[in-house]
Structure formats: structure tokens, C-alpha cells
Amino acid sequence: MSERPAGIDPRGPRFAASITAVLLAITVLVSLTGMSTSRTFGWFAYQPLASEMFLPDTWAVRAASLGERALDPGFLLLLVVALLFAWSVVAPRTAPWGVLFRRLIRPRLRPPTDLEDPRPPRFAQGVGLFVSAAGLVLHLAGVPWALPIAAAMAFVAAFLNAVFGVCLGCMLYLALQRTGLVGRRRSAA
């Protein structure tokens, strides 16, 4: 079994989740009004009230070029959130929300009564990165509704963590740890 790393203040990930939830809520709203959910003008009438025709598959995201998809405001917001997730996975000590918590919030609070293993919250950040990246890639591929659905899924997880202290990614980590897939080193034998 691997050594447990030093513990972290459990209020830190909840603080980060609250900021992330706000960013994701804005992302969901912006992406719902963007090209991912809108249709192009699909009704065509060559003469008034005559020979109307509806062309299927007229989602705006499918009709847009790759550059237009990449410049969609919802895409750009989710990209920023995904980059923040990536930062938290690669270098959690320097991630902006963690630094903000350690420097401004934590000194004003009482010391934590117990510390938390940092691996489950870090894994949860990786899950958030995976969900966000899947939404970004699918949006670039022209899949309608991929962007707001991915952002909404990440929002639900961040909201549950921020408000209720329920970390879905942490629960997934612990379930995978029980099966031996993560968090345990295998013996050399």
C-alpha cells in the first residue's frame, strides 16, 4: 500500500468548487444561447406561402467552420474552465483557487479539525477536466448540445461539492481504489 501524502484542509476544495460552480453556471447559460443549441434558418419559401420546405440537420454548430466553433463564447468559457482543471491536476499547489484559499481565506478561519487525503480531490479535478475536454472536442466536431451538456454535468458536480460537500469525483476515486485500480501501488513480486 502506498504512503498517504500530507493532508489538506477540506475547506480548500469546497472553496475552489464554489468558484468553479459559478464559472460553470455562466458557461452553461452562455453556451445555451450560443451556436451549440441554435438552428440555422431551415425554412425556405421560394414564393410567399408556396413550396415551403424544411431542411433537416441545420444546427448552427454543424454549419459553422472550425474557427467559428472555436470562437463561440461558450466554447471559450469552457476552455478556460478546462485549463483551470488541468492546472489543478498538474500543479495543485499553484492552482489559482488553492493559492487564493491558502493566502486570503484560510488565515481568517480556525485550523481544520481534520485533514483530507489530497488524492481524491485531485482525481475529481481530473474528472472535471475529462468531462470539459469531451464537451470541447465534441463541440469542435460539430455535435449539437455537447457543450452545454458537458458544462452542466461539471456544474452539477461542482455545485454538489460546494454546497453540500458531496464530491462525486472523490466518490469515484474511492470506488476505484476499493477495486484496486487507483491509489495503490502494486507489489514488485
Side-chain angles (χ1 to χ4, degrees):
M1 193 158 169
S2 65
E3 296 268 334
R4 282 192 75 175
I8 59 171
D9 187 338
R11 299 169 293 187
R14 286 186 73 177
F15 173 77
S18 63
I19 296 174
T20 303
V22 170
L23 290 175
L24 285 165
I26 294 167
T27 303
V28 169
L29 292 175
V30 169
S31 64
L32 283 172
T33 61
M35 75 169 62
S36 185
T37 60
S38 56
R39 290 189 169 269
T40 59
F41 187 68
W43 289 95
F44 296 99
Y46 298 103
Q47 296 176 7
L49 303 176
S51 52
E52 292 179 352
M53 155 176 69
F54 179 74
L55 298 176
D57 287 343
T58 55
W59 291 100
V61 70
R62 287 187 181 157
S65 69
L66 186 63
E68 290 170 332
R69 292 176 195 163
L71 291 176
D72 181 39
F75 177 85
L76 294 174
L77 284 171
L78 191 58
L79 180 63
V80 168
V81 172
L83 290 173
L84 289 169
F85 278 138
W87 192 347
S88 295
V89 170
V90 173
R93 297 283 309 160
T94 63
W97 311 143
V99 171
L100 186 65
F101 176 77
R102 282 192 308 277
R103 292 201 178 152
L104 297 178
I105 307 299
R106 188 172 172 189
R108 291 169 172 75
L109 301 174
R110 291 184 181 169
T113 56
D114 57 346
L115 299 177
E116 181 178 77
D117 183 1
R119 294 176 295 183
R122 190 173 184 180
F123 182 84
Q125 293 292 313
V127 172
L129 173 61
F130 176 77
V131 169
S132 299
L136 292 169
V137 169
L138 290 172
H139 177 76
L140 287 177
V143 177
W145 288 90
L147 197 64
I149 289 173
M153 289 170 57
F155 166 75
V156 167
F159 179 81
L160 287 173
N161 191 0
V163 176
F164 301 110
V166 176
C167 178
L168 297 178
C170 300
M171 290 178 180
L172 179 61
Y173 177 87
L174 295 174
L176 291 173
Q177 187 180 41
R178 276 188 225 109
T179 64
L181 295 174
V182 297
R184 295 183 182 168
R185 291 191 184 133
R186 299 198 175 150
S187 62

